Amino acid sequence: MSLVKRLRRRAGVDFHPHLFRHTHATALLRAGVRLEVASELLTHGSVHTTADTYGHLEADDLAEELDRVGFRGAR
């Protein structure tokens, strides 16, 4: 029996190892790692693949970035 199957059974959580890739990619983007860098780390051929597949950013993420660069408060 594979390690993943044993861990799923023991934890009672149905997961696939690829889920960690999604989590890591989203964490990179939320931490402010440039899309091009994240794409390279994930060995994607295109930044569009990275953005379309792993760019699960929410409204809060967008608001934080606008605050960080001083755009949201600007008039």
Side-chain angles (χ1 to χ4, degrees):
M1 180 181 296
S2 77
L3 174 62
V4 172
K5 286 181 183 177
R6 289 194 316 263
L7 290 172
R8 279 194 299 234
R9 183 177 292 166
R10 178 177 257 178
V13 177
D14 187 21
F15 71 92
H16 190 276
H18 197 76
L19 176 65
F20 297 115
R21 181 176 171 90
H22 284 267
T23 301
H24 178 66
T26 301
L28 287 171
L29 296 175
R30 283 186 172 158
V33 173
R34 289 190 352 253
L35 186 60
E36 298 83 5
V37 174
S39 182
E40 186 72 23
L41 290 170
L42 296 164
T43 66
H44 288 156
S46 167
V47 295
H48 298 289
T49 302
T50 309
D52 293 345
T53 307
Y54 298 102
H56 308 295
L57 301 179
E58 299 173 356
D60 288 344
D61 300 311
L62 302 174
E64 286 178 21
E65 181 64 8
L66 292 176
D67 286 341
R68 186 186 71 77
V69 298
F71 186 77
R72 201 159 73 140
R75 301 223 185 239

